[in-house]
Amino acid sequence: MTKKITGKTKLLGVIGYPVEHSLSPVMHNAALAQLVVRVASRREDIAQLGLDYIYLPFPIEPQNLEVAIAGLAAVGVVGFNVTIPHKQAIIPLLSEITPLAQTIGAVNTVSRQNNKWVGTNTDIEGFIAPLQTTYKQDWSQKVAVILGNGGAARAVVAGCIQLGFAQIHVVGRNMQRLEEFRNSWSNSPLADKFQVHQWEELPKLIPQANLLVNTTPIGMYPKVDESPLSVEEIANLPTGAIAYDLIYIPKPTQFLQQAEKQGAIAIDGLEMLVQQGVAALKIWLQLETLPVEVMRQALQNHLGLGE
Ligand code: NAP
């Protein structure tokens, strides 16, 4: 069904550079279309109910960020997602950011509230969603080992803290960037809730891991034969541990295949992608119930995963 755009259609979108590979338009427009079908079937006025939206990609070069944000306000955009390279740079341009986004120092969702831009971060919600539902358990005696110390690792650390892990270890390849990562949390109440380690310490950490998360891009399409860990390293992962890869294509990654061979439970990044989108759409539409399965299916179809 083609979306009918009228003078009343409201705008949502994603800003990034480049942005043409973003999967968010596929997922959000599928949800918006479904909501419209649901409302239309009740013969009510879609625009009146405020569900007449379209979600667009906005390629914005870094030097144009400030003027672009002002422009998005001027044309009445209701909300937008933020992707690389703007997740940190946008912070000073917003009127408010939530304590959660403040803590992790990155914004992925912005909404217009009382003529102000308010930023938050739904990656944490996305990351923890499978760990709070399908794989729900008492995490308070468990150990999380996180590979990588980039932007996504920040949401993963905050998510593991929220879940109450007993120990959280962040492992990186570059000591200077690891130190920067640790120091960037120094004003946060979460600062003493995790430790950083160099890659060489992995043989000691992996046998303790109940949750092992890959936040590096190693193994991402097209380098699908790569893995952040060697077969020997992953052989020390305890049976029954959870291996979680933030990468969603290929599905499963080499890392997850290796972990499954060791008897680990594998979670890929698709559900995180879906759930961070669901959380964003709830904020923009002020709705509690969304067509989550439609969003998941739209992504799977688009990625040729057709489950
Ligand atoms: P990022 O900020 O660039 O961070 C990448 C991290 O990986 C850095 O710490 C980097 O180390 C490390 N790294 C890169 N190559 C490495 C190597 N060969 N060996 C060891 N470490 C290496 O990227 P990001 O935004 O965090 O994204 C990371 C991954 O998560 C991407 O694959 C992205 O697609 C995925 N992701 C998925 C979702 C989802 O919803 N499923 C959401 C966000 C991100 P240095 O600091 O030393 O350079």
Side-chain angles (χ1 to χ4, degrees):
M1 191 178 76
T2 312
K3 163 89 188 151
K4 194 169 135 202
I5 297 172
T6 70
K8 291 178 182 170
T9 304
K10 296 187 202 126
L11 294 175
L12 296 168
V14 51
I15 65 164
Y17 196 79
V19 81
E20 65 254 39
H21 300 298
S22 171
L23 298 172
S24 295
V26 170
M27 171 170 66
H28 286 299
N29 285 317
L32 294 167
Q34 177 67 29
L35 287 165
V36 166
V37 168
R38 217 191 268 170
V39 172
S41 69
R42 299 205 304 262
R43 296 172 182 277
E44 292 169 64
D45 186 321
I46 292 157
Q48 198 184 330
L49 279 164
L51 285 172
D52 186 8
Y53 288 85
I54 187 130
Y55 185 104
L56 299 170
F58 298 113
I60 294 170
E61 291 187 43
Q63 70 274 18
N64 295 333
L65 184 61
E66 187 166 1
V67 67
I69 302 306
L72 293 176
V75 297
V77 166
V78 175
F80 56 92
N81 283 127
V82 185
T83 188
I84 292 168
H86 304 313
K87 283 186 172 188
Q88 279 97 33
I90 196 162
I91 292 175
L93 305 175
L94 303 173
S95 303
E96 273 174 46
I97 69 168
T98 59
L100 205 62
Q102 181 89 52
T103 301
I104 65 169
V107 162
N108 82 328
T109 301
V110 176
S111 59
R112 195 82 184 145
Q113 296 175 21
N114 303 321
N115 286 323
K116 289 177 180 165
W117 286 129
V118 179
T120 188
N121 195 305
T122 65
D123 279 336
I124 302 170
E125 229 172 304
F127 168 71
I128 65 176
L131 302 174
Q132 279 182 317
T133 53
T134 317
Y135 304 102
K136 186 178 169 146
Q137 53 191 278
D138 176 8
W139 302 104
S140 65
Q141 307 297 317
K142 302 287 165 79
V143 175
V145 175
I146 300 162
L147 308 175
N149 50 267
R154 305 185 73 82
V156 171
V157 168
C160 288
I161 293 171
Q162 200 168 313
L163 291 171
F165 272 86
Q167 291 179 41
I168 300 166
H169 302 281
V170 177
V171 187
R173 60 177 172 177
N174 180 302
M175 200 53 210
Q176 192 190 330
R177 280 196 287 273
L178 265 175
E179 289 293 347
E180 284 165 11
F181 183 87
R182 180 169 50 198
N183 294 340
S184 68
W185 297 70
S186 57
N187 293 327
S188 148
L190 309 186
D192 60 352
K193 302 246 188 301
F194 68 92
Q195 296 167 39
V196 298
H197 305 265
Q198 284 193 282
W199 212 258
E200 291 70 34
E201 294 179 56
L202 272 173
K204 179 186 82 191
L205 294 168
I206 289 175
Q208 305 172 38
N210 303 105
L211 174 70
L212 177 62
V213 190
N214 176 34
T215 79
T216 79
I218 308 170
M220 191 161 76
Y221 179 83
K223 296 184 176 172
V224 298
D225 293 331
E226 294 183 1
S227 169
L229 299 177
S230 66
V231 175
E232 293 74 32
E233 283 171 325
I234 218 155
N236 293 320
L237 188 63
T239 307
I242 294 178
Y244 193 150
D245 201 333
L246 265 46
I247 296 171
Y248 41 83
I249 196 96
K251 183 179 156 74
T253 55
Q254 192 64 236
F255 166 69
L256 290 185
Q257 289 180 43
Q258 290 168 344
E260 273 187 310
K261 277 192 198 138
Q262 292 304 314
I265 295 162
I267 306 179
D268 63 62
L270 196 73
E271 197 56 19
M272 173 172 173
L273 185 67
V274 172
Q275 297 295 343
Q276 61 78 30
V278 169
L281 209 47
K282 280 185 181 172
I283 294 171
W284 299 323
L285 303 185
Q286 298 284 296
L287 284 180
E288 269 314 305
T289 316
L290 288 174
V292 181
E293 187 49 36
V294 169
M295 296 169 83
R296 192 180 289 124
Q297 204 61 56
L299 281 178
Q300 286 180 338
N301 291 345
H302 183 80
L303 294 170
L305 299 170
E307 259 177 28

